[in-house]
Amino acid sequence: MELRGKHLIGGRIAAEASTTFQAAVAATGEPLDPPYYEATAAEVDSALRGAESSFDALRGSAHEVRADLLDRIADQIVALGDALLERAHLETGLPLARLTAERGRAVNQMRLFAELLREGSWVEARIDRGQPERQPLPKPDVRRMLIPLGPIVVFGASNFPLAIGVVGTDTVCALAAGCPVVVKGHPAHPGTGEMLGTAVHSALEATGLPLESFSLLHGAGHELGLALVRHPATRAVAFTGSLRGGRALYDAAAARPDPIPVYAEMGSTNPVFLLPGALEQRAEQIAEGYIGSVTMGVGQFCTNPGIVLGLEAPGLGRFLDAAGRLANATTPATMLHAGIQRTFDAGLERVARTKGVRTIGRSAEPAAGACQAASAVFATDPQTIEAEPHLKEELFGPASIVVQCRDVAEMVRYAESLEGQLTATLHGTEEDLRTYERLVRVLERKVGRLVFNGFPTGIEVCAAMHHGGPYPATTDPHFTSIGTAAIHRFVRPVCYQGFPDAALPPELRNRNARRIWRLVDNQFTKEDA
Ligand code: NAP
């Protein structure tokens, strides 16, 4: 398809600004056509007013119609074919094989949410039937379910242009819930964003849902994002990116006359704990999985294992030798954009220069001026990492630090000092888990997901997934941004007391026409109430 460099506002193609920005080929820095118009304040207002005006029709649409919308978006994205993958490859530098797999994940995610809608129990209907005869006071009839929040502003992430981008998990959850969406596309891949946005518009047209339910705005500056968060029609915000960006949007939302939730996923160091039983049995095998996880996607994952804590034991030496060897054998690879590459490079050199840190493995250096990352693994001790707080910060790219702990008390102290994390991983035997139970108990308080004998990268999109965690991993530890439970970010409960049956939403009426699971007088059932 021909790219226009313009916004999609409701059903319109729009561009009224005089200023433009241009994406670049990630690998070479060459400018990529077309130039993209920056969204103006009037366009922000138009997109959000349109979203607001479409809300009643979208939330009132049958679940089956919204499921059909998601299936059609998936079909449209597949129909974009290689052109989508090729544009995404140019803009992000991600290899075509990775983008093909990511498209599969994006499409499966849409179909999973379509299934969730068709099944219907996600609205969490609860019914407490009234007991007028109860003594000393009658019990009122009380019923509650989840309803959509309203227009949602989504920030497309740079590192998953398809699965967390313009039509990624956030947009899909919001549309599934019945919320209109206004996306700020990531400025590093506007062409990919435009193609995806067009797919949503075609699917909306085909289902007869209001075109104003979806808009995509482009811009390369903080003002656009802040204007979207501050707009009175915005009811919630979803973001994946840096701590600085997520926090700025969170603060802007909190400073509104009517604060709104910002669900920001901002990454973490995802500590991995190597326990003695596992080190003894399979140090080399763990090292292989570890280096694979550190370098996967050029380390540009919020679940990248940035810190490893290993107990001093003969197995740890074997692990370090193997990890060093494997890191030496890796090759530099293209990063998502020049800003990410510069930040990574500076962070890598700062770690390498820190007293008490030694490099145990490092790939060849990238060619001068290339938007590429060298991968590296470092080793240090608990005292150094305590004295040098920058070592505990996320380094977004293919680098990781192994902390050699003398005893488990040092590991537990590190775990206790952790800020909120998306994940923590334990490599051990079942006996290790019993022996080091205290460590597990501490980690439960710090993370959203605990992984045993695996690696945190490669998140399964499923009902039980929790991709979240205490601040600063996210701005709200209650919610996941991946998996079907992510829909809960864009809904809220509403309770009806004493309403006549016919005036209730269908999910709360006595007759359970959709045969969904409901909690009726404290029992889960699909029967009528
Ligand atoms: P980013 O800088 O956080 O930007 C993400 C989006 O937020 C962009 O649309 C950006 O718009 C906007 N934004 C950023 N700061 C803002 C602010 N102060 N006010 C308003 N809007 C703001 O993320 P990035 O470009 O993807 O990469 C930069 C760094 O983010 C990486 O080095 C990495 O540390 C982190 N990151 C984390 C994850 C994760 O999964 N948690 C993913 C990707 C990146 P403009 O650029 O147009 O202002």
Side-chain angles (χ1 to χ4, degrees):
M1 67 173 269
E2 193 199 337
L3 296 176
R4 301 174 204 246
K6 297 182 178 173
H7 317 289
L8 300 167
I9 300 180
R12 289 183 301 120
I13 311 270
E16 60 182 29
S18 50
T19 47
T20 57
F21 68 98
Q22 231 164 326
V25 177
T28 62
E30 250 173 89
L32 257 176
D33 277 335
Y36 275 79
Y37 286 87
E38 302 265 3
T40 61
E43 284 166 335
V44 167
D45 190 53
S46 166
L48 276 156
R49 283 192 193 285
E52 176 61 34
S53 72
S54 71
F55 181 40
D56 278 339
L58 188 64
R59 77 189 182 110
S61 62
H63 287 209
E64 184 56 48
V65 173
R66 295 206 300 280
D68 191 32
L69 170 70
L70 298 182
D71 279 339
R72 283 176 191 269
I73 297 174
D75 294 342
Q76 291 285 337
I77 286 171
V78 172
L80 286 168
D82 290 347
L84 173 69
L85 302 180
E86 280 155 15
R87 179 74 190 195
H89 170 65
L90 284 177
E91 289 183 327
T92 65
L94 294 171
L96 285 171
R98 144 75 197 268
L99 288 164
T100 307
E102 192 185 322
R103 180 181 59 186
R105 171 173 154 181
V107 162
N108 288 343
Q109 188 165 266
M110 288 164 205
R111 304 215 191 277
L112 186 65
F113 275 93
E115 264 175 50
L116 185 83
L117 290 181
R118 291 194 176 102
E119 195 283 328
S121 305
W122 70 274
V123 298
E124 293 186 356
R126 291 162 179 241
I127 297 174
D128 280 291
R129 286 178 291 192
Q131 294 169 11
E133 70 292 349
R134 189 182 71 175
Q135 293 299 329
L137 289 172
K139 179 180 175 185
D141 188 278
V142 181
R143 303 181 183 218
R144 78 170 225 176
M145 65 178 280
L146 302 174
I147 60 162
L149 278 182
I152 307 297
V153 166
V154 168
F155 288 78
S158 61
N159 57 341
F160 278 94
L162 309 178
I164 319 184
V166 167
V167 209
T169 174
D170 300 325
T171 298
V172 168
C173 286
L175 291 174
C179 297
V181 174
V182 177
V183 181
K184 176 187 184 285
H186 196 284
H189 55 251
T192 309
E194 185 182 341
M195 292 172 103
L196 295 167
T198 310
V200 181
H201 269 224
S202 307
L204 280 169
E205 248 167 2
T207 42
L209 285 165
L211 296 181
E212 292 77 9
S213 325
F214 177 84
S215 290
L216 166 64
L217 301 178
H218 301 283
H222 297 352
E223 274 318 304
L224 170 57
L226 290 169
L228 289 166
V229 171
R230 289 176 181 143
H231 195 281
T234 304
R235 291 294 95 212
V237 178
F239 168 92
T240 301
S242 63
L243 175 58
R244 188 180 298 180
R247 184 62 201 240
L249 300 175
Y250 179 85
D251 289 343
R256 289 169 51 121
D258 57 340
I260 54 169
V262 172
Y263 303 110
E265 192 271 80
M266 304 172 294
S268 68
T269 57
N270 304 295
V272 175
F273 295 81
L274 305 179
L275 301 175
L279 280 173
E280 194 182 325
Q281 286 175 7
R282 45 188 182 88
E284 291 79 7
Q285 195 190 330
I286 298 171
E288 205 173 308
Y290 164 58
I291 296 300
S293 185
V294 169
T295 55
M296 186 188 282
V298 202
Q300 300 164 120
F301 289 142
C302 46
T303 49
N304 202 44
I307 306 267
V308 174
L309 294 105
L311 270 189
E312 278 294 4
L316 186 61
R318 281 169 34 226
F319 169 82
L320 288 168
D321 287 349
R325 243 190 346 267
L326 290 163
N328 285 335
T330 58
T331 45
T334 303
M335 296 199 91
L336 291 162
H337 62 74
I340 285 187
Q341 188 263 339
R342 276 194 299 273
T343 308
F344 176 69
D345 249 21
L348 192 71
E349 291 324 310
R350 191 170 177 210
V351 172
R353 281 198 316 270
T354 305
K355 200 162 160 269
V357 173
R358 61 199 169 85
T359 303
I360 62 165
R362 184 162 173 153
S363 68
E365 291 309 304
C371 179
Q372 287 192 337
S375 33
V377 177
F378 303 97
T380 191
D381 53 71
Q383 293 69 38
T384 303
I385 204 161
E386 270 318 305
E388 301 281 355
H390 74 95
L391 297 177
K392 283 184 164 181
E393 286 166 17
E394 181 187 42
L395 191 48
F396 196 72
S400 184
I401 305 173
V402 183
V403 185
Q404 297 172 251
C405 300
R406 271 171 312 199
D407 52 34
V408 71
E410 284 188 337
M411 271 189 172
V412 171
R413 263 202 301 282
Y414 185 83
E416 280 169 342
S417 77
L418 279 172
E419 293 186 307
Q421 303 285 324
L422 293 168
T423 73
T425 298
L426 295 139
H427 278 272
T429 57
E430 289 193 21
E431 192 185 332
D432 282 334
L433 274 190
R434 283 190 291 275
T435 312
Y436 303 106
E437 200 209 336
R438 169 83 192 127
L439 183 59
V440 181
R441 295 286 89 81
V442 173
L443 290 174
E444 280 168 351
R445 295 185 56 183
K446 303 286 183 173
V447 313
R449 176 165 58 111
L450 276 167
V451 180
F452 183 58
N453 286 347
F455 288 93
T457 43
I459 306 169
E460 186 66 29
V461 181
C462 60
M465 181 47 65
H466 185 76
H467 183 61
Y471 186 87
T474 75
T475 43
D476 193 330
H478 300 94
F479 296 98
T480 178
S481 54
I482 307 276
T484 49
I487 199 170
H488 288 119
R489 294 172 300 166
F490 306 132
V491 291
R492 67 176 179 84
V494 66
C495 178
Y496 302 83
Q497 184 169 329
F499 262 55
D501 196 62
L504 286 164
E507 290 88 345
L508 294 180
R509 291 181 195 156
N510 289 336
R511 183 158 171 273
N512 187 5
R514 295 192 66 206
R515 291 286 157 221
I516 59 174
W517 284 105
R518 308 192 298 183
L519 190 67
V520 178
D521 295 338
N522 296 322
Q523 299 293 323
F524 280 108
T525 174
K526 287 188 172 186
E527 298 302 310
D528 292 339

